[in-house]
Amino acid sequence: MHIGFIGLGTMGAPMAGRLLDAGHDVTVHNRTREREEPLAVRGAARAATPRDAATGVDVLITMVSDTPDVEDVLFGNAGAAEGLGTGAIVVDMSTISPAATRAFAERLERRSVILLDAPVSGGSEGAREGTLSIMVGGDAAAHERLTPLFEVLGTTVTYVGGTGSGQVAKAMNQVIIAGTYAAVAEGVALALASGIDVEAAHRAVSGGAAGSWVLTHRARNMIRNEYPLGFRVRLHRKDLGIALQSAREAGVPLPVAAYVEQLETGLVARGHGDEDVSAIARAVREAAGLE
Ligand code: NAP
């Protein structure tokens, strides 16, 4: 299958690499062009613009930061929409607004191009190891056709429903994650301030009912007060903004998500926006006088 891939950041680069390793014909494009080089060495073709990356492909995958960035690469100057042929499928795996996703799908439909929203969960580890959870919204037949491709990238591939449904499921994921990070940070702060062996306490609680991906993979960052990427605070804050907007439209109060979004706003203001989202522990540590 000829695949175009736009956005070679923390997630996109290892995902494009997995598609190459699976034997697909992959053309990559990244705004900062040097990031294409390691994939070119592994056999990817390079495209100078999103339009060139989309020309002649069966499937175009986008993995960029935010809603305006997806709009840029699809419909901006030398955008992918100009290159896509009739019947091509765009798979947007970025985490963006469900409402904007529906609008983008309509614009592409006018060019006889299908858009699937397929945001992911599972972090940079999941992208490298091909163990992502992929939440798919849009045309069911297109989803079915691309399932073998999704299975190169993830172990849990779920068709959620019509266009935008994948993004709503991802918003649900980010709301749950927000509360989990904040609660793990509070638990770690309690153990640290009490002077117990926090590593031993971590081992003990990981095996019980409090166990979670965040506790297993990110509590050690919080204990060491070091926050290597991972997933940037500013991107999680962006995701909570999407969730809170969708919740306002649905008339659903989300006080925990709103609280964590405020903690993250403070972290971004204090220069921690490009640290891993486990840096939420900084705010909890500061409040406890543990800094
Ligand atoms: P990242 O490392 O910050 O990379 C962002 C990528 O988007 C870069 O390739 C960047 O290009 C490109 N980009 C941003 N704005 C652009 C624009 N206007 N035009 C063209 N390219 C643009 O982000 P990431 O962690 O890979 O995340 C990508 C998406 O996946 C986000 O929506 C994020 O929320 C989601 N996600 C991330 C994780 C995670 O653990 N990291 C997990 C699940 C989902 P440059 O190189 O030129 O900056």
Side-chain angles (χ1 to χ4, degrees):
M1 198 177 272
H2 188 182
I3 301 169
F5 202 112
I6 298 175
L8 305 172
T10 310
M11 298 296 282
M15 291 165 71
R18 288 194 66 81
L19 293 170
L20 273 174
D21 291 346
H24 291 291
D25 177 9
V26 183
T27 300
V28 295
H29 169 74
N30 195 67
R31 180 179 58 183
T32 308
R33 300 281 321 275
E34 305 90 84
R35 286 188 163 175
E36 297 164 5
E37 282 162 15
L39 288 153
V41 167
R42 292 167 62 184
R46 296 177 65 173
T49 62
R51 178 188 55 218
D52 294 348
T55 303
V57 300
D58 305 300
V59 176
L60 177 75
I61 298 179
T62 50
M63 192 53 167
V64 295
S65 306
D66 199 353
T67 307
D69 307 315
V70 174
E71 183 163 25
D72 250 27
V73 299
L74 290 180
F75 305 108
N77 197 20
E82 294 174 21
L84 289 163
T86 301
I89 304 174
V90 175
V91 183
D92 179 33
M93 304 192 81
S94 328
T95 303
I96 69 162
S97 147
T101 295
R102 288 188 279 272
F104 296 161
E106 277 169 26
R107 287 169 76 177
L108 288 172
E109 203 180 341
R110 283 184 229 131
R111 296 168 178 261
S112 303
V113 170
I114 291 170
L115 174 70
L116 293 180
D117 46 307
V120 305
S121 171
S124 47
E125 296 92 331
R128 272 195 307 276
E129 291 157 19
T131 55
L132 294 169
S133 174
I134 306 176
M135 306 157 218
V136 187
D139 183 79
H143 161 73
E144 198 126 312
R145 219 181 112 202
L146 296 193
T147 297
L149 188 150
F150 289 138
E151 287 174 347
V152 173
L153 304 174
T155 40
T156 309
V157 181
T158 311
Y159 179 73
V160 185
T163 305
S165 304
Q167 294 293 356
V168 175
K170 174 69 187 191
M172 173 184 173
N173 184 83
Q174 297 306 72
V175 164
I176 294 168
I177 281 277
T180 312
Y181 273 100
V184 171
E186 289 192 357
V188 167
L190 172 63
L192 286 169
S194 306
I196 64 166
D197 179 345
V198 65
E199 295 280 356
H202 177 238
R203 281 196 300 280
V205 299
S206 295
S212 68
W213 187 94
V214 174
L215 189 61
T216 302
H217 293 277
R218 295 291 183 257
R220 284 203 177 79
N221 291 359
M222 301 182 183
I223 294 167
R224 293 182 192 133
N225 208 18
E226 289 169 6
Y227 306 99
L229 286 178
F231 181 45
R232 293 173 212 277
V233 169
R234 65 178 170 77
L235 286 181
H236 188 248
R237 175 170 171 261
K238 174 264 299 182
D239 294 352
L240 288 182
I242 292 167
L244 290 167
Q245 176 62 32
S246 301
R248 258 192 296 280
E249 287 160 15
V252 179
L254 300 179
V256 175
Y259 164 68
V260 173
E261 195 263 352
Q262 290 295 294
L263 291 185
E264 291 177 344
T265 297
L267 287 167
V268 171
R270 298 199 295 284
H272 301 300
D274 286 317
E275 291 182 339
D276 184 70
V277 70
S278 48
I280 285 172
R282 284 192 186 281
V284 177
R285 278 169 158 266
E286 278 164 20
L290 286 166
E291 279 303 294

